[in-house]
């Protein structure tokens, strides 16, 4: 049996609310976990005017500005799909990595299927929180990024900019893998 090379890709999104379809994905940030200088970033036109004011406040975006300057979702997903494909060699498998991956993956999956026809990540995602919980044998509460950072000592910080958050969570994942290999 031939093993495929797994290409870990850290992905973060900013949204206008809690669920895809009803609310819009406003930005995508991604980087290669093991080469975080290789990034993808875009802002999207909103699907509609639905907004959770708290979610929108966190992003720093305005729907009006994104309606003018964001790219169409079809174009965004085509470009992101091409970037994911270019990050992988023949036979490689892209692995979606996220901090609270179920949230980010749900938007990425919805947008890929609705606007691109397929999701290059397939139907799964690797959640850093769950990975860390299993590795550290800790409580779910102790999987918050702030608690992970206290233990892992990353150089990066998150700031609700999708590409910066993708870089930050990629570092957390690399440090968690390293700690797991050492048995910390």
């Amino acid at each position: 049996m031939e093993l495929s090379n797994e290409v870990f890709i850290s992905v973060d999104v900013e949204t206008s609310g809690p669920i895809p379809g009803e609310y819009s994905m406003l930005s995508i940030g991604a980087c290669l976990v093991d080469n975080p200088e290789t990034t993808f970033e875009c802002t999207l036109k909103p699907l509609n005017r639905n907004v959770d004011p708290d979610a929108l406040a966190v992003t720093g975006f305005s729907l009006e500005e994104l309606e003018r300057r964001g790219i169409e979702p079809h174009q965004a997903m085509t470009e992101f799909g091409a970037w994911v494909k270019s990050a992988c060699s023949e036979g490689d498998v892209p692995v979606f990595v996220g901090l609270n991956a179920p949230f980010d993956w749900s938007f990425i999956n919805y947008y890929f299927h609705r606007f691109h026809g397929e999701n290059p990540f397939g139907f799964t995602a690797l959640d850093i929180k769950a990975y860390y919980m299993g590795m550290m044998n800790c409580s779910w509460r102790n999987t918050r990024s702030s608690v992970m950072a206290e233990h892992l000592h990353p150089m990066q910080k998150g700031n609700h900019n999708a590409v910066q958050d993708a870089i930050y969570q990629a570092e957390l994942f690399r440090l968690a893998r390293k700690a797991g290999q050492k048995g910390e």
Side-chain angles (χ1 to χ4, degrees), residues 126-171:
L126 191 159
D127 181 43
I128 299 167
K129 292 170 67 70
Y131 180 88
Y132 185 82
M133 183 181 181
M135 185 199 68
M136 295 303 296
N137 194 27
C138 68
S139 70
W140 185 248
R141 185 181 81 236
N142 287 329
T143 66
R144 294 187 322 268
S145 62
S146 60
V147 176
M148 280 190 245
E150 287 175 21
H151 177 251
L152 299 172
H153 308 290
M155 301 297 291
Q156 298 290 326
K157 294 196 180 315
N159 64 3
H160 293 292
N161 169 283
V163 75
Q164 176 57 39
D165 286 356
I167 292 167
Y168 171 59
Q169 66 193 30
E171 183 181 16

Side-chain angles (χ1 to χ4, degrees), residues 47 73-75 77-78 110-118:
L47 299 177
H74 179 273
Q75 179 184 349
M77 301 320 290
T78 298
Y110 176 85
Y111 272 70
F112 264 133
H113 283 286
R114 180 168 175 197
F115 298 107
H116 187 65
E118 66 177 352

